[in-house]
Structures are given as C-alpha cells and as structure tokens.
C-alpha cells in the first residue's frame, strides 16, 4: 500500500503560518534576555573605575573585574549550549536567568573584592546562556524574513546598552555602584516571572521525537496568528533523511507516533552531548565553518567590548598619558556622557545590518563592516582631540555593532538543530576569550601610555576577522534551517 498521506516539516509549517502575534511575544521575551545581558556587560564600564576609586584597586585588579565575567561566560556559553540541545531550549534559559539575576543582585551586597569577583564570575556563567535565547527565537521565524527579524531582535541589545548608560548617568553620582548593580539585575527577574508561558521550540521537539508536543505548539502558533497548519502529517528532517537514503519506511513509521519517534530519535538524543557534540562541530562537513566562526566571534567580542572600554579610557584624561589613580567627579561625568553618546552608535549599526543582511547577504555585509571599522580606528593611532576621538569611536562602533548583529544571525543558520545552540555557544565561548583579553588592552595599554600599540592590535584583529568572513564556505541568505548534519538541506549548503 503506497503512502499517499501529505507531509510537511516544521520549516514548512512556520513558513505557511508566517510571522504574527505569537512570534512577537517570543521576540519580546527573548529580547528581555538580550537587554539583561547588554546591561550586565555595559555596567562594567562604570563599576570598574568606581571600584578602583572606592577600594583603591590597581589597574590590573580593575581589569580583572571585567575579565572574570568573560571567564564565567566562557564556561557558561559552552555548558548552556549543551544543556539546551540535550534537554530543551526552555530549560537552558531558565537556569541562566536564575543564575544571572541571583548573582547580579548579590553582587550589589558584596562586602569585599574577593566576594565581588566570585559573584561576577557567576553572573558571567549565567550570561553565557545568551545564545540559547537567540537560537530559540530563530527557530520560530519564517525563512524569508529571518534576517530582518534577527536584526530587530539585536535591537534589544542596543536598548539595553542605552538603558544601562542612562541608568549609570543618573544612579552613579547619586546612589553609587551598589545601586547600579542591583537595578541592573532586574530584567533577569522578568524572565523568571513569565517563564511558565514560554513555548518549547517545535523544531527541537520534532527532532527529539516529541512530535505530539511539537504539533501542540504549532497549533498554538496557528491560532494566535489567525492561520492554519498545512494539511498532512508532520515529519522531521531525520525521517526525510531515511527516505533519501533509500529506506522504505512504512506508513506506520512515517506517522508521528510519539513512541515510534522517540525510538527513532533515541540515538540522536543520547549521542548529542558534551564531547560528541564538539566532534560533530569539527566533522568534515562543519570544521571549516566552525573554525572560521570561532575567529570571527573572537574578533567581534574583542573589538566590541574593547571599543566600549576605549570610549571611557580615551576620554577621561588617560588619552593624554597622565597617570591617575583617582578620577575627579568632573571627569567621571564626561565619561558617562561619552559612553551614553557612543551607545547610540548602535542604532545606525542595526539599520545598516537590517538594510544589507537580506540584500547583500551575510558574508558581504560582515566583511565590508569589518574593513570599514579598520578605517575608522586608524587615525586613533595618534592622539586626537576629544571630539574627534569620540566621533571616530562612534563610527567604529557603528561598524562593529553591524558585524556583531550579523554574525549572531549567520552562526545559528550554519548549524543543524541537533547542535545549533552548542555550536553557537562554543563560538560565543571563544568570543568570551576575546572579551577577557580586551580589558588588558583597552585599560592596561592605555594606562601604560601605549595607545598606539593598543589601536594597532585592534586593527590587526578586526582586519583578520574580515578576511575570515570572506573565507566562510557558503552564504545562508534565503536558505532553510536544517535539523541534522546529514540532512539533504545541509549537504546542499555545504557543497
């Protein structure tokens, strides 16, 4: 008896239902997580100098406050990626929100430097789950509009940076750094409050064989968006792969019985985790993309956070190579103002990303912005007036914001669902290494009267990142997401 039952995939179902009210709610929740991470990262620009003055810290101790957060993120990005690929996206981001919010609030009560370092490391551990939220949101977006909506999602990061800069400008001179830490932890608590209403990714559910749950989520999307699911039976890429290999699955095997599907996917679920996931990422089909992506994430994080810190360091008197242990209140006010102004550079960066990502493609957009960023930073090899310095850093931050936005679109697109959050998480972990090193450059070298060496190092890292983007093996614009490494769609993309 031939199998004449029509079939559809999660990708086809989401494309048929389009982007609607359901995705807006998912965007809002994921965006709140992105705001939380941006605020926790931006506050490092303000807390470090304040603590150096309050606790009489050395430059290395000040830099270590930032570096230890990235150390936590290095571990967290890898760990939470594996957790979410093995146990679900929801479990991944609820744990990270709990750790981030709790440790962030307790940081405000830290009695000494050692306690603060431990708590900020835990904050970094929680912040490492950021890629889980971006991958979760990505899996609900129809392919044709994926680039545009991921840029809109990235706008929440910009909103977070501006909110933190505004908060610091108001809170720091009046209430001090403890209140800034406490208030900055609030967005993470909102994730906990609304967690119960968040759905699991239907793409993940289908891959794991939990197809009844996947259909329930897809039906909920259809109801909220005022559309209908395609006719037929939901199938996964794994089933299509079996058919492509010449297996002759019967009608019973194709129908989405949870018990049958759980048996089919048991091997996938048990094999994807920890070391085996890393082997998948370094398999012949993914190794080139993975290694190049690691370099680009390193360059992006090193450059982005370096530019944020340089905005403070090059406009508070240190650009004139004056050894200062305690900054005056006046110079701190200028610091808040310039960081606040520079934060708005992210809006043009987002607009550029939105205008180019689906027109020029991911690769051309990223590489062009990297090279333009090099051009903006070049004059800072020599000391420049404060206004020109702020303007050049503004332009450089526009470019690096665009590249950061686009790489967070490109990265989850090149990996299949089975290792998507692990792949993006490990790449993000490599980026955190760049974040750990950048304070030593932005603060250490500038404090040590080595601004020229600092800028040259940024130029080399950014230029090399642009070259790596050019070498990416394929463009993902307009391509459907794949569920497994061996799926037909992923093989076609890697060819």
């Amino acid at each position: 008896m031939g199998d004449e039952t029509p079939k559809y995939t999660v990708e086809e179902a989401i494309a048929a239902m389009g982007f609607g009210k359901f995705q807006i709610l998912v965007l809002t929740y994921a965006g709140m997580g992105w705001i939380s991470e941006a605020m926790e990262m931006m506050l490092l620009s303000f807390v470090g100098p304040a603590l150096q003055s309050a606790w009489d810290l050395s430059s290395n101790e000040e830099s270590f406050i930032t570096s230890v957060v990235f150390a936590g993120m290095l571990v967290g990005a890898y760990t939470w990626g594996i957790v979410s690929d093995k146990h679900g996206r929801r479990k991944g981001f609820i744990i990270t929100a709990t750790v981030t919010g709790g440790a962030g609030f307790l940081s405000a009560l830290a009695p000494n430097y050692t306690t603060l370092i431990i708590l900020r490391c835990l904050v970094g551990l929680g912040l490492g789950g950021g890629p889980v939220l971006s991958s979760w949101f990505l899996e609900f977006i129809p392919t044709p509009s994926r680039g545009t909506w991921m840029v809109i999602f990235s706008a929440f990061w910009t909103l977070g940076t501006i909110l933190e800069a505004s908060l610091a400008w108001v809170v720091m001179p009046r209430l001090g750094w403890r209140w800034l830490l406490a208030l900055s932890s609030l967005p993470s608590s909102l994730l906990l409050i609304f967690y119960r209403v968040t759905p699991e990714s239907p793409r993940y559910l289908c891959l794991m064989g939990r197809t009844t749950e996947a259909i329930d989520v897809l039906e909920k999307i259809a109801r909220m968006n005022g559309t209908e699911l395609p006719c037929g039976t939901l199938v996964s890429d794994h089933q299509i792969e079996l058919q492509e290999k010449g297996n002759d699955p019967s009608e019973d095997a194709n129908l989405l019985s949870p018990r049958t599907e759980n048996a089919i996917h048991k091997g996938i679920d048990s094999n994807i985790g920890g070391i085996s996931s890393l082997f998948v990422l370094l398999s012949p089909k993914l190794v080139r993309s993975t290694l190049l992506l690691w370099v680009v994430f390193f360059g992006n994080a090193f450059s982005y956070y370096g530019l944020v810190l340089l905005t403070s360091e090059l406009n508070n008197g240190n650009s004139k190579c004056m050894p200062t242990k305690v900054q005056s209140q006046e110079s701190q006010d200028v610091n808040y103002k310039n960081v606040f102004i520079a934060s708005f550079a992210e809006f043009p960066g987002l607009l550029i990303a939105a205008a180019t990502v689906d027109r020029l493609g991911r690769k051309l957009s990223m590489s062009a912005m990297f090279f333009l960023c090099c051009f903006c930073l070049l004059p800072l090899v020599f000391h420049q007036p404060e206004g020109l310095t702020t303007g050049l850093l503004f332009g450089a931050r526009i470019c690096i914001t665009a590249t950061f936005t686009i790489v967070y679109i490109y990265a989850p697109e090149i990996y299949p669902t089975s290792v998507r959050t692990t792949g993006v998480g490990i790449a993000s972990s490599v980026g955190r290494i760049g974040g750990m090193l950048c304070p030593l450059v932005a603060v250490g070298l500038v404090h040590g009267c080595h601004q020229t060496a600092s800028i040259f190092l940024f130029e080399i890292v950014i230029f090399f990142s642009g070259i790596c983007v050019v070498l990416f093996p394929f463009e993902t614009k307009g391509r459907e997401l794949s569920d497994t490494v061996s799926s037909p769609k992923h093989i076609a993309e890697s060819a």
Side-chain angles (χ1 to χ4, degrees), residues 37 55 77 80 92 121 127 148 161 175 181 196 205 211 216 231 307 310 323 352 360-361 366 381 392 400 488:
E37 180 167 347
W55 288 354
W80 307 132
C121 184
L127 292 176
T148 300
T161 62
L175 301 175
L181 287 173
R196 290 177 60 86
L205 292 172
T211 51
D216 288 343
C231 297
L307 288 173
L310 280 176
I352 291 173
L360 303 180
M366 271 194 287
V381 169
L392 290 170
I400 213 65

Side-chain angles (χ1 to χ4, degrees), residues 426-494:
I426 293 177
S428 181
S429 293
V430 176
R432 304 316 176 191
I433 297 174
M436 291 168 60
L437 295 177
C438 80
L440 303 177
V441 176
V443 179
L445 287 180
V446 175
H447 278 190
C449 303
H450 299 296
Q451 177 178 326
T452 298
S454 173
I455 298 301
F456 264 128
L457 183 55
F458 278 109
E459 291 277 4
I460 293 170
V461 171
I462 294 171
F463 183 81
F464 189 64
S465 299
I467 295 297
C468 288
V469 170
V470 174
L471 297 177
F472 276 133
F474 59 88
E475 174 61 62
T476 59
K477 181 183 71 171
R479 294 183 182 272
E480 294 183 356
L481 299 178
S482 60
D483 285 339
T484 61
V485 177
S486 56
S487 69
K489 284 184 288 187
H490 200 276
I491 292 173
E493 290 172 1
S494 301

Side-chain angles (χ1 to χ4, degrees), residues 63-85:
S63 299
F64 193 61
I65 297 173
T66 298
S67 295
V68 76
V69 175
F70 286 103
M73 295 175 80
L74 173 66
V75 177
Y78 177 70
T79 304
W80 307 132
I82 292 175
V83 168
S84 62
D85 276 336

